[in-house]
Amino acid sequence: MLNKMGWSALLITMLMLVLQTPAWAAAGIEAVTVTTGKNGAQTYSVTIQVLALMTMMTLLPAILLSMTSFTRIMIVLSLLRQALGTGQAPSNQVLLGLSLFLTIFIMMPVLEKVNVDAVQPYLEEKIDVTEALTKATEPFRQFMLKQTREADLELFIRISGKADLNSAEDVPFSLLLPAYVTSELKTAFQIGFMIFLPFLIIDLVVASVLMSMGMMMLSPMIVSLPFKIMLFVLADGWSLIMEMLAASFYAT
């Protein structure tokens, strides 16, 4: 398990990967620049480095989540809630928290490898920033390549016009990241389709029974909801969903 310093160093390392600016090589970044005018008036301005840092800090969570298993998990859980027909139960906050902690569980081998190979040697001053960045990106690259379909990767390579790439290892992050997210969306909706099927059968059976009894004014969703919840609970649905999501990454 990563300690607090390891997590902080990992986030700083990933931020440095996104920025890729020589300003990080400096000992420090001046936050405010003071300019004195001809009449002695002073003007305060924020430096470009700090402005870029504040901007990238807002984009860093989205970038990190796009490079992990969060996208697939969140979509599958959202489709599961729609298949059950329970409205806002579980709430968005519950699904978000569950997706986040399951993402940490699935990504822990990758994060531990980044910590051992890049973060800790950099903190001990055994390697420089460039080497640390190279070693930190390699586990994420291997994880994303393992989960990305070749068709999606070839699609973005063809769109970019970079047909001279010899292997998947030569694919830059600018192509690998959208290909990975596209592949994750496809996989998530495929899993969601399989989850929808048993609940759809229950809805069809209940609707047919109500129609045969002449109870057309009664909504089939109201009648089928208890049966779907009972089926999901008896089948230990949450455990099956969590196991299936984790296995979908480890078994690939």
Side-chain angles (χ1 to χ4, degrees), residues 62-138:
I63 295 175
L64 290 179
L65 293 179
S66 299
M67 296 169 58
T68 62
S69 58
F70 182 85
T71 301
R72 183 189 304 185
I73 298 172
M74 189 63 189
I75 292 177
V76 170
L77 293 181
S78 299
L79 292 176
L80 171 62
R81 183 175 63 181
Q82 294 183 20
L84 283 171
T86 55
Q88 294 298 320
S91 63
N92 293 331
Q93 290 80 1
V94 174
L95 293 184
L96 182 62
L98 184 60
S99 302
L100 181 59
F101 284 106
L102 187 58
T103 298
I104 295 176
F105 170 77
I106 294 175
M107 298 298 298
M108 189 55 63
V110 177
L111 298 178
E112 288 179 348
K113 186 172 181 59
V114 172
N115 182 56
V116 173
D117 297 344
V119 177
Q120 293 303 325
Y122 176 74
L123 294 178
E124 296 172 1
E125 298 182 355
K126 294 181 179 179
I127 57 178
D128 55 10
V129 176
T130 304
E131 187 177 357
L133 290 177
T134 303
K135 292 185 176 181
T137 56
E138 187 59 28

